[in-house]
Amino acid sequence: MTLRSEDEAPSPALTAAQAALAAEHAAVYGYGVLGGRVEAGRRTEARAAYDGHRARRDTLMRTVRDLGGAPVAADAAYALPFAVADTASALRLAAVLEDRVAGVYADLVRATEGPARAEAAGALREA
């Protein structure tokens, strides 16, 4: 592995992987918030989504390192686009989060090739 120098611009793949990682950090936070607000019948689904985003976040951290970058850190907290007080608003937040990660994974698909592209495409499908 060759690490890039400080003066060298990051590759499109690294830039897209960092953006996807940042979106996954936000999704993990968002699912943590909405998990406590969804009705009991939807908690299993919310937990699976939370676990999936945590796994993708961890994978992206390794990907960024493999591309020669330092993974972007999670923020301590994220501003939610609206108050999450009940199941309906929790499900709305889940849709917003998935839409946001889909956008960055579409960029990652465009910026990568081979197995990395296939993995990004899988994440895009899941979102």
Side-chain angles (χ1 to χ4, degrees), residues 31-48:
Y31 272 96
V33 170
L34 73 85
R37 303 286 194 273
V38 303
E39 63 193 2
R42 303 295 300 261
R43 283 198 190 115
T44 300
E45 183 181 359
R47 180 62 188 204

Side-chain angles (χ1 to χ4, degrees), residues 2-126:
T2 303
L3 295 177
R4 64 180 188 81
S5 72
E6 291 296 318
D7 297 332
E8 188 179 336
S11 69
L14 177 56
T15 300
Q18 289 280 37
L21 176 56
E24 288 293 8
H25 283 313
V28 167
Y29 178 87
Y31 272 96
V33 170
L34 73 85
R37 303 286 194 273
V38 303
E39 63 193 2
R42 303 295 300 261
R43 283 198 190 115
T44 300
E45 183 181 359
R47 180 62 188 204
Y50 174 77
D51 290 342
H53 286 291
R54 286 180 58 211
R56 291 217 182 268
R57 176 203 62 197
D58 295 347
T59 297
L60 282 164
M61 291 176 80
R62 286 187 296 278
T63 299
V64 166
R65 283 188 202 99
D66 290 347
L67 291 170
V72 64
D75 291 342
Y78 293 84
L80 299 176
F82 46 82
V84 180
D86 55 17
T87 295
S89 57
L91 295 176
R92 232 175 64 222
L93 178 59
V96 168
L97 295 171
E98 296 302 332
D99 187 54
R100 289 179 181 173
V101 297
V104 295
Y105 278 115
D107 292 341
L108 190 56
V109 167
R110 284 189 290 273
T112 56
E113 44 190 48
R117 177 177 277 173
E119 189 170 323
L124 176 57
R125 265 190 317 277
E126 286 180 20

